[in-house]
Amino acid sequence: MADISSNFIGVRSPNPFWLASAPPTDKAYNVIRAFEAGWGGVVWKTLGLDPPVVNVSSRYGAVRLGERRIAGLNNIELISDRPLQVNLDEIRRVKRDWPDRAMVVSLMVPCDELSWKTILPMVEDTGADAVELNFGCPHGMSERGMGSAVGQVPEYVGMVAAWVKQHSKLPCIVKLTPNITDIRHPARAAFKGGADAVSLINTINSITTVDLDLMAPTPTVDGKGTHGGYCGPAVRPIALNMVAEIARDAGMRGKPISGIGGIGNWRDAAEFMALGCGTVQVCTAAMHYGFRIVDDMIDGLKNWMDSKGYRRLDDFVGKAVPNVTDWQFLNMAYDIKARIDQDKCVQCGLCHIACEDTSHQAITKQKDGVRHFEVIDEECVGCNLCMHVCPVDGCITMERVDAGGYRNWTTHPNNPMRKAEA
Amino acid sequence: MTRLAHADIQAGRLSSEQLAQNFADIAPPLDRQQALLAAQRCFYCYEAPCTVACPTGIDIPSFIKRISSDNLKGAATDILSANILGGACARVCPTEILCEGSCVRNKDDDKPVQIGALQRYATDWVYASGTQLFERAAATGRRVAVVGAGPAGLACAHALARHGHEIVIFEALERSGGLNEYGIAAYKVPGFVQAEIDWLLGIGGIRIEHGRELGRNLALVELQRDFDAVFLGLGLGAVNALGLPGEHLEGVRNAVDFIAELRQCADLSRMPVGRRVVVIGGGNTAIDAAIQSRRLGAEEVTMVYRRGPETMGATVVEQAFARDEGVRIVHWARPLAINGENGVVEEVQFAYTKPGPDGRPLDTREVFTLAADSVLKAIGQVLDPVEGPALKGGRIAVDAEFRTSLPKVWAGGDCVGGKVDLTVQSVEDGKRAAASIHSSLNVSAG
């Protein structure tokens, strides 16, 4: 069976599944339960300097999608609201009792060297394996010049990373905020400052819903709301892209990344890892279903790796990175057409109306006066829309019809900036 | 065992509690969460087969979509503008052969979307709150007589009232509703029919005169004279006779009369039912009579139908329901005689039948008898004789716009027949006739 033990920037864990810095890792009680359930590691909920922050009542908002009660989750909770020493004592105890698990400590202190210099030795003293710098939380702390307020300024990211490396021997992970135009800039700054790894994404600025009776955003605190940080399955595609942008960047290729963003099962994890993540961090799925979900993540990942012949994580980590490219290099000679399996078709007409109203008028709705859905090849551009709207698995498939060959936009006659063909 | 001197037909076979349970809502309403889950299963088909299958053409994907977004007013308006008796139809329609039967999710043994239950969810609040979804146009001064306060008559009256016409409905019976009030199994519409009618009449401009029966204290010629138009929604007032010896015996009666009595019975512990009941016929009336007999406490209920299950008027779902209720269904048998003693029924004699060359049943030589305390005849209803309009196939002849052969007289519902004798079809007839009547009244828009 596949070996899924992980060595990420020198931090070892029996599997690559860590709990992200968040409410599930707020205290020893939760973390011990997580380790008992099988989690490979945790990033302890962010510590700050005393006095501790104060949290408000009413903290989460959820986006529902059909039967899925939490397709996206938003929170306005701040960092740990417990005294620093309480957290440190618990971290020391848990790490002592669970030496094989990764114990990473998330930190967020004011953006001055003294603050960092003060807290780092205290953390190091607990026996923790690494620190993660929280430059990501977009709510609350950012108003105080911390969290994403730092993460949004690459110069600060690099500066703090350098302080941390200077004042501590611990491996340093910089957690990035996605609330930025180009994720590569803070990532480059982190590595330039000496960070050993980046983790992403932190949560996205969001208003979950608007309560139309209260005329206020949710979660609502006594009639008012504030933007929170969005996470959960809904953010996964955004996270995957940001991870890929860093992984395929010429200057950062191969740099350690810990992937975060809507991971709920082994397949989600494998996707992040295929894009270059050495470990993955989970929060929302655990908050939705409890720690037991790690069972299937461990088991499922091993079974999948066995089926593919991957013996260890390194065999597939980053394997999809070379296939993430710029649009301009996509093959324009490639041509696919939709095919509707008439035996599977339930005659719902969704493919027709989607194509008719919003695409290329390439699907009939009748044949010889009878309800019948069929692709008109001459009109079909191979966009996949019908396949996605079809409610029946495997009913609409895309068939390759081109004769092979390769040409891309860079040399296309319609491209005013084309390069001469070699 | 001592035999009773009369057929064993008695009330109070079950406790009041048991009866209350047996005649409670057969399909309780969905709550919001159940409705949202059910609504989510709808694919929102384009030119949806369910809508095509609905005789009133309710835009089903549209109303279900509205349920999903908690737009119940929009959902109810979708339903009720196509079918003003959408609440009753949600309960009594054989959805398994209409909308739900044509749901694309039936393919590959999946279950259809619960369209009937969702329709009820979307409309229940309308009656409960008395919300009027439709506005009556300014009075036109035109008067229309509607004969019969059943589904066809009510639908026609409402549509015309909406246009601002003044409607008088003449109803022979004490209560409005037609078959919904007198002919449907009680557990399908508990406490609902009159609430729906009250809501429907809330549009205004409709007056109902009960106890007015065509040919008795109401003359069609007078209606033609006194009103700008007349709509006949008479239903089928008479019942086919078996034409057999013994049909007059005590204990033998029409299933429709049994059901009507049951429906009007305020205290079901006073509703008599036979110990051994034989129901003759294979339609919805037969099924409703058989199941309700069981639910009143009949020990043995046997339905006998002269052909096979596939040609029964009752749907496969209804047949299965009857069997679940302990009703025995005997196919391919025809009654030969009803026998009795001292004027009281004792047994029914049947011949087994088999399909003939043209599919019609032929008697075999085999016969059998079923002991019976009660025999309920349900072999179809026919039009009460009506003077005036031309008939066709025993029903009132109408054209595509539901005009009869008489000037200013339209007709619809079961009395004209046509497609299916269902509430939903009658509503559609009434609605279409109303459109034709309205255009004939030549009122300028506005």
Side-chain angles (χ1 to χ4, degrees):
Chain A
M1 188 161 243
D3 172 10
I4 61 167
S5 66
S6 159
N7 180 352
F8 183 76
I9 57 169
V11 179
R12 292 179 183 277
S13 55
N15 61 57
F17 307 119
W18 296 358
L19 284 169
S21 167
T25 60
D26 185 37
K27 54 186 182 297
Y29 181 84
N30 305 71
V31 172
I32 290 166
R33 284 180 66 87
F35 286 163
E36 284 168 352
W39 289 88
V42 298
V43 183
W44 200 277
K45 185 168 163 87
T46 307
L47 312 185
L49 292 172
D50 285 337
V53 301
V54 177
N55 275 303
V56 292
S57 195
S58 184
R59 300 180 193 177
Y60 304 120
V63 171
R64 290 169 66 157
L65 194 62
E67 272 188 73
R68 181 130 207 169
R69 311 295 282 205
I70 300 179
L73 186 71
N74 151 305
N75 87 88
I76 57 168
E77 186 173 293
L78 304 182
I79 63 175
S80 178
D81 51 17
R82 306 189 313 152
L84 179 59
Q85 196 57 50
V86 171
N87 278 310
L88 293 169
D89 292 345
E90 288 186 4
I91 290 167
R92 181 195 319 276
R93 177 160 60 85
V94 176
K95 178 63 197 179
R96 188 193 64 211
D97 293 347
W98 297 84
D100 69 322
R101 308 303 168 94
M103 173 66 77
V104 181
V105 177
S106 174
L107 298 174
M108 184 193 290
V109 294
C111 201
D112 59 69
E113 190 171 0
L114 180 63
S115 297
W116 288 95
K117 200 175 164 179
T118 308
I119 200 166
L120 282 163
M122 301 164 87
V123 174
E124 207 167 322
D125 190 50
T126 63
D129 298 304
V131 290
E132 183 183 79
L133 316 188
N134 182 344
F135 297 158
C137 283
H139 50 275
M141 304 309 289
S142 55
E143 296 170 13
R144 308 173 198 180
M146 291 181 267
S148 66
V150 177
Q152 285 166 340
V153 184
E155 292 78 8
Y156 294 169
V157 172
M159 178 178 73
V160 179
W163 291 338
V164 171
K165 288 311 287 181
Q166 186 187 339
H167 297 296
S168 166
K169 292 191 291 293
L170 290 176
C172 166
I173 305 167
V174 169
K175 187 166 179 178
L176 300 174
T177 175
N179 300 301
I180 190 161
T181 317
D182 186 341
I183 195 70
R184 292 172 302 178
H185 290 281
R188 285 180 192 132
F191 287 121
K192 197 173 166 198
D196 300 284
V198 291
S199 57
L200 69 160
I201 58 175
N202 202 308
T203 55
I204 303 173
N205 281 336
S206 60
I207 286 175
T208 336
T209 57
V210 175
D211 185 319
L212 291 175
D213 295 319
L214 294 174
M215 277 295 166
T218 64
T220 312
V221 180
D222 192 22
K224 299 258 190 275
T226 186
H227 78 262
Y230 197 45
C231 55
V235 312
R236 195 163 59 240
I238 297 167
L240 285 171
N241 174 59
M242 290 189 165
V243 164
E245 285 302 291
I246 294 170
R248 73 187 188 95
D249 181 78
M252 292 186 282
R253 190 154 296 177
K255 291 282 192 191
I257 305 172
S258 186
I260 311 168
I263 295 163
N265 57 40
W266 69 267
R267 180 181 294 277
D268 300 336
E271 291 179 19
F272 273 85
M273 297 173 87
L275 287 177
C277 295
T279 61
V280 293
Q281 300 184 27
V282 175
C283 171
T284 310
M287 293 183 74
H288 193 168
Y289 301 110
F291 292 143
R292 61 203 161 123
I293 58 166
V294 76
D295 271 357
D296 175 58
M297 299 180 83
I298 292 169
D299 184 51
L301 187 68
K302 284 181 183 169
N303 288 337
W304 170 74
M305 286 172 65
D306 286 346
S307 76
K308 293 285 182 185
Y310 299 131
R311 282 173 303 164
R312 57 188 69 82
L313 299 179
D314 285 345
D315 289 352
F316 77 94
V317 166
K319 215 166 180 197
V321 175
N323 292 328
V324 184
T325 186
D326 291 348
W327 192 96
Q328 60 179 334
F329 300 124
L330 297 175
N331 185 5
M332 296 182 137
Y334 180 72
D335 193 14
I336 53 175
K337 305 285 180 203
R339 294 286 173 255
I340 301 172
D341 183 335
Q342 297 298 334
D343 291 334
K344 289 185 175 160
C345 177
V346 297
Q347 310 264 309
C348 70
L350 290 178
C351 57
H352 163 78
I353 198 60
C355 193
E356 191 71 12
D357 277 356
T358 71
S359 291
H360 300 90
Q361 297 74 50
I363 298 180
T364 63
K365 64 169 176 173
Q366 272 197 346
K367 189 179 184 179
D368 305 327
V370 180
R371 190 172 174 87
H372 178 86
F373 302 96
E374 201 168 86
V375 176
I376 306 163
D377 272 7
E378 306 79 72
E379 303 299 332
C380 177
V381 303
C383 74
N384 304 343
L385 178 63
C386 56
M387 179 179 77
H388 291 303
V389 301
C390 178
V392 181
D393 280 343
C395 176
I396 300 185
T397 50
M398 307 303 294
E399 184 192 0
R400 185 162 188 176
V401 296
D402 66 75
Y406 175 83
R407 68 184 167 123
N408 66 39
W409 178 244
T410 60
T411 55
H412 195 282
N414 287 18
N415 180 356
M417 297 179 345
R418 69 181 171 277
K419 299 166 190 155
E421 287 201 59
Chain B
M1 195 168 121
T2 45
R3 281 190 50 77
L4 289 167
H6 53 82
D8 188 353
I9 300 178
Q10 291 181 41
R13 292 184 185 276
L14 301 175
S15 69
S16 296
E17 295 74 35
Q18 187 64 51
L19 286 168
Q21 198 181 319
N22 287 358
F23 287 87
D25 209 336
I26 189 93
L30 302 178
D31 63 23
R32 177 171 175 272
Q33 189 172 346
Q34 291 167 327
L36 290 178
L37 278 176
Q40 201 181 301
R41 297 190 65 247
C42 175
F43 288 153
Y44 197 55
C45 291
Y46 177 66
E47 292 178 354
C50 53
T51 290
V52 175
C54 176
T56 59
I58 294 173
D59 189 340
I60 292 163
S62 171
F63 93 68
I64 293 179
K65 191 90 171 165
R66 285 164 161 79
I67 287 175
S68 306
S69 67
D70 284 326
N71 178 8
L72 286 195
K73 185 169 185 181
T77 306
D78 256 349
I79 294 162
L80 297 171
S81 47
N83 178 342
I84 198 66
L85 293 180
C89 290
R91 291 160 169 81
V92 308
C93 260
T95 52
E96 62 272 17
I97 57 167
L98 297 172
C99 53
E100 292 181 19
S102 52
C103 177
V104 303
R105 294 204 76 141
N106 285 303
K107 196 166 171 187
D108 300 328
D109 292 333
D110 199 354
K111 285 193 164 49
V113 174
Q114 294 170 269
I115 299 169
L118 285 167
Q119 180 164 319
R120 176 169 173 182
Y121 173 77
T123 51
D124 267 356
W125 68 276
V126 174
Y127 318 111
S129 65
T131 307
Q132 273 303 320
L133 300 172
F134 306 106
E135 217 174 304
R136 190 171 180 227
T140 60
R142 304 300 174 92
R143 300 177 73 236
V144 180
V146 170
V147 184
L154 289 168
C156 183
H158 185 273
L160 290 168
R162 249 183 104 177
H163 284 302
H165 309 308
E166 190 191 327
I167 317 299
V168 181
I169 303 181
F170 299 96
E171 167 57 52
L173 299 173
E174 227 173 281
R175 310 183 82 173
S176 306
L179 281 180
N180 287 356
E181 175 60 35
Y182 291 95
I184 301 277
Y187 43 73
K188 289 182 183 170
V189 285
F192 178 71
V193 174
Q194 295 308 316
E196 182 179 47
I197 295 170
D198 289 347
W199 171 82
L200 181 149
L201 297 176
I203 186 84
I206 304 173
R207 187 161 57 83
I208 304 185
E209 293 188 16
H210 290 102
R212 299 291 302 273
E213 188 176 353
L214 212 55
R216 189 165 65 87
N217 54 13
L218 191 66
L220 187 51
V221 286
E222 285 169 22
L223 295 178
Q224 284 174 282
R225 182 194 66 208
D226 298 342
F227 290 85
D228 296 298
V230 180
F231 175 78
L232 303 175
L234 308 173
L236 300 173
V239 177
N240 281 324
L242 293 168
L244 294 178
E247 204 166 346
H248 62 279
L249 289 168
E250 188 188 324
V252 181
R253 70 187 301 200
N254 291 322
V256 288
D257 296 334
F258 167 74
I259 295 172
E261 185 186 342
L262 190 158
R263 283 296 306 276
Q264 300 308 309
C265 182
D267 177 2
L268 288 178
S269 67
R270 292 173 182 275
M271 176 69 201
V273 66
R275 189 163 68 87
R276 296 163 304 178
V277 179
V278 171
V279 181
I280 299 170
N284 289 314
T285 300
I287 285 270
D288 282 358
I291 296 172
Q292 292 189 108
S293 294
R294 279 287 294 159
R295 291 195 163 204
L296 282 171
E299 252 174 57
E300 285 172 27
V301 178
T302 311
M303 256 181 87
V304 184
Y305 176 57
R306 65 196 174 117
R307 300 192 200 210
E310 60 289 340
T311 55
M312 276 178 96
T315 67
V316 174
V317 170
E318 292 275 350
Q319 293 178 45
F321 179 41
R323 280 192 297 269
D324 286 349
E325 292 290 311
V327 173
R328 186 161 76 99
I329 304 180
V330 177
H331 295 110
W332 297 108
R334 185 181 73 83
L336 296 174
I338 301 172
N339 304 323
E341 216 175 85
N342 304 326
V344 178
V345 66
E346 285 197 320
E347 63 175 30
V348 189
Q349 194 179 13
F350 292 91
Y352 278 117
T353 55
K354 62 179 182 187
D358 59 349
R360 294 169 68 89
L362 298 176
D363 286 5
T364 66
R365 286 161 187 274
E366 284 184 83
V367 296
F368 65 97
T369 55
L370 292 174
D373 299 296
S374 163
V375 177
L376 300 175
K377 299 180 289 175
I379 57 165
Q381 286 124 264
V382 289
L383 187 65
D384 251 341
V386 52
E387 232 169 277
L391 303 185
K392 187 182 166 195
R395 310 231 185 153
I396 298 173
V398 290
D399 65 11
E401 290 193 21
F402 295 88
R403 283 182 290 238
T404 67
S405 60
L406 301 176
K408 300 207 297 184
V409 180
W410 283 255
D414 288 353
C415 70
V416 305
K419 292 179 184 165
V420 282
D421 289 348
L422 294 173
T423 298
V424 65
Q425 186 60 52
S426 297
V427 172
E428 180 66 6
D429 287 4
K431 184 175 99 184
R432 285 177 183 245
S436 175
I437 292 169
H438 174 64
S439 68
S440 80
L441 294 177
N442 208 14
V443 184
S444 57

